Amino acid sequence: MKSRTGLVAVLALALVSGGCASGGSSGPVVGPDGQPIPESARPRDDSFTQSGTLYLTQAQAAGDDATARERYERALESAQGAIAADSTNPQGYFIAGQAYVGVGDFAAADEAFAIAQDIYPPYAGDIDLQREGAWVVAYNAGIQDVNAGDIEAAAGHFEDANLIFKGRPEAMLNLGATYSQLGEIDASVAAFQEALDLIQSTDMATADSARVEGWDEIEQQAAVYMGQVLTQGERYAEASAAYAAYLERYPGDVQVMSQMAMVTMAAGDTAAAEGMYNDLMARSDVDARGLYDVGVGLFQSGAYAQSATAFSAVLERAPNHRDAMFNMITALYQAEQWDGVMENGPRLVELDPKNPLAYQYVAFSYAQSGDSDTGMEYQSQGQNLDFTVDETQLRPEAGGGATLSGTLGNNTLAEGTAVVIRVHFLGADGSEAGTVDVTVLAPAPEMASIFNAEFNSDLEIIGFYYSVVSAG
């Protein structure tokens, strides 16, 4: 997004996706304190439980979904018969829980499993396995919905997964992401916090290694995403606290340090935020993207001269970074450092040749410095552009590549004139990663057309500039 001052800043929230999950294992659970379980509370076979078990076996072996569902329904009928005949027999509830999972009623399955375990605690190990197996089914259904773009349906499946089994954080993480996309901020934050609570309360040294593999990465994602969602909800003080808690466990993450500084600024603690930004500027391990974020944060705090210094540091690593150059000029302009604008203005015009605001900045600076003739030259160039390029926004993709969107405004071209713009995409090291030519037909005079330039690559993209190949 762009601020009113023209600075370019982006807050994105990625949705976790991936392949199908697989069930883990859990150890057997004995009765409480080793006390014997009364005979009346132990599982007992009767004609209902026997038929229910048979139908479950047939459902699991069925070759098609329709047959499987019909067998699960019959298993459920048998389980309900067993419960009606003897409500103290835990086996009826245990069979019912499995059958409810089979027909997709996870709330009823959760209740049935809970009753079975309450009557007969040694069922805990078997029920844990059944719950995790059901979790896998619901979780993978949610992943399929994510990949199909149906976020609302995905949220429902992740809710089922998280209801039936609380021993894995993956569904909690995805719930947080889906809730965020659906605009449910409170629910999103609660889901991320649930994932963090589970991970941080688990003894990794004694936990099943297959189940907890990758949990450290999930913990980091949940903490960062929660901070982003809180920021999205303008709950800046809470976001700052969330980032602070993350940095206690993972110190030195410069991206999170920058995000924390930004929300601390938004929360109104300008002095603390500026201190954080100055600390970041002093670090040697901050990359160009991190320095860019620092520049945006300092600008938003009103520290224009320091902001310009941060953007200048970005340009040392990526000299053709249009947004960094534009933002540095904007900061220098706000700081009334006219010499800096004049020194760098011609370079901005090279990187952004059809942006009238670039010419205005330079023209005004020359006028303020007493060189009105040069100022008038730049002003005239900006006012006599045959077309303009404005509202540019770079959207990097998580796995590499990026898309640049923008608008082409027509000043003097004949309607329908083909304008070819070459977008140069910059890699993480600041060098050119590749180019994309996009053809835009000029709209009617004084109108604008939207364009998109999509660069497919596995390279990380941090910036761009553009040039005009032809116009007509």
Side-chain angles (χ1 to χ4, degrees):
M1 59 184 175
K2 286 190 177 181
S3 68
R4 293 180 181 177
T5 58
L7 284 183
V8 182
V10 176
L11 175 65
L13 179 67
L15 180 67
V16 181
S17 185
C20 292
S22 60
S25 62
S26 58
V29 180
V30 297
D33 299 325
Q35 296 299 316
I37 303 298
E39 188 72 30
S40 61
R42 297 178 186 176
R44 300 177 296 281
D45 263 331
D46 59 23
S47 61
F48 291 112
T49 61
Q50 289 172 347
S51 61
T53 301
L54 176 61
Y55 286 133
L56 286 177
T57 301
Q58 292 174 345
Q60 293 161 1
D64 61 90
D65 292 342
T67 300
R69 183 175 181 86
E70 185 268 337
R71 294 299 171 182
Y72 279 123
E73 289 173 348
R74 292 206 173 198
L76 182 56
E77 291 173 2
S78 296
Q80 290 169 338
I83 294 168
D86 183 359
S87 62
T88 67
N89 184 356
Q91 191 169 2
Y93 298 100
F94 183 55
I95 294 171
Q98 297 172 72
Y100 277 126
V101 169
V103 299
D105 191 340
F106 285 77
D110 175 60
E111 183 178 358
F113 284 140
I115 295 172
Q117 186 170 333
D118 184 58
I119 296 172
Y120 185 62
Y123 255 155
D126 292 332
I127 288 176
D128 195 52
L129 287 172
Q130 292 295 332
R131 284 182 177 277
E132 187 169 8
W135 181 95
V136 170
V137 172
Y139 180 82
N140 288 338
I143 291 297
Q144 290 176 357
D145 288 331
V146 169
N147 293 336
D150 192 341
I151 302 304
E152 201 163 336
H157 285 301
F158 292 138
E159 286 170 348
D160 284 340
N162 199 39
L163 172 67
I164 202 68
F165 185 64
K166 296 286 189 180
R168 295 178 63 160
E170 294 92 337
M172 301 168 187
L173 183 69
N174 278 291
L175 264 179
T178 53
Y179 283 148
S180 172
Q181 292 199 19
L182 295 172
E184 300 179 22
I185 302 301
D186 289 342
S188 176
V189 171
F192 288 136
Q193 188 61 59
E194 189 176 18
L196 292 171
D197 290 343
L198 171 62
I199 294 170
Q200 293 170 7
S201 66
T202 299
D203 185 351
M204 299 297 181
T206 61
D208 182 336
S209 60
R211 180 183 290 179
V212 302
E213 183 179 359
W215 280 22
D216 55 344
E217 182 179 354
I218 293 174
E219 179 186 11
Q220 294 177 56
Q221 290 175 324
V224 172
Y225 292 167
M226 184 165 68
Q228 292 179 344
V229 170
L230 288 165
T231 303
Q232 178 183 336
E234 299 184 355
R235 293 159 59 175
Y236 302 119
E238 293 176 70
S240 181
Y243 288 137
Y246 169 88
L247 289 168
E248 285 183 7
R249 293 175 67 86
Y250 298 96
D253 188 324
V254 295
Q255 184 175 2
V256 172
M257 292 169 68
S258 178
Q259 290 175 337
M260 181 178 174
M262 189 174 296
V263 296
T264 301
M265 180 72 66
D269 194 344
T270 302
E274 287 186 7
M276 294 176 194
Y277 283 126
N278 289 331
D279 289 344
L280 282 166
M281 284 289 292
R283 295 177 67 101
S284 60
D285 57 346
V286 182
D287 60 13
R289 187 184 297 277
L291 288 168
Y292 185 90
D293 291 340
V294 170
V296 171
L298 287 168
F299 188 98
Q300 292 175 336
S301 74
Y304 301 121
Q306 297 97 313
S307 174
T309 299
F311 289 124
S312 176
V314 176
L315 291 165
E316 289 178 5
R317 306 181 188 193
N320 295 327
H321 196 304
R322 177 268 173 197
D323 286 346
M325 179 63 74
F326 182 88
N327 288 350
M328 183 181 73
I329 293 291
T330 304
L332 290 169
Y333 182 89
Q334 292 291 339
E336 299 185 357
Q337 294 188 5
W338 313 122
D339 289 345
V341 178
M342 290 185 292
E343 178 183 353
N344 294 281
R347 183 58 179 152
L348 173 59
V349 169
E350 291 178 13
L351 299 175
D352 198 5
K354 296 296 182 177
N355 184 355
L357 187 56
Y359 294 90
Q360 291 176 31
Y361 279 151
V362 182
F364 188 84
S365 297
Y366 272 106
Q368 288 296 108
S369 68
D371 188 347
S372 57
D373 290 341
T374 304
M376 288 296 294
E377 289 178 14
Y378 274 100
Q379 183 175 346
S380 176
Q381 292 177 40
Q383 291 176 340
N384 290 290
L385 295 172
D386 50 355
F387 66 91
T388 63
V389 173
D390 197 8
E391 299 180 3
T392 53
Q393 182 179 32
L394 182 70
R395 299 190 300 276
E397 300 295 336
T403 298
L404 178 75
S405 62
T407 60
L408 184 147
N410 185 12
N411 291 334
T412 62
L413 295 175
E415 183 176 355
T417 298
V419 178
V420 181
I421 297 172
R422 178 165 295 159
V423 182
H424 305 253
F425 292 91
L426 308 180
D429 63 353
S431 64
E432 188 169 304
T435 63
V436 172
D437 287 356
V438 58
T439 300
V440 189
L441 299 181
E446 300 185 3
M447 299 296 289
S449 295
I450 297 173
F451 67 86
N452 290 282
E454 184 176 350
F455 179 59
N456 296 312
S457 172
D458 57 359
L459 297 175
E460 178 186 2
I461 301 301
I462 65 166
F464 78 97
Y465 72 97
Y466 69 91
S467 56
V468 179
V469 177
S470 62

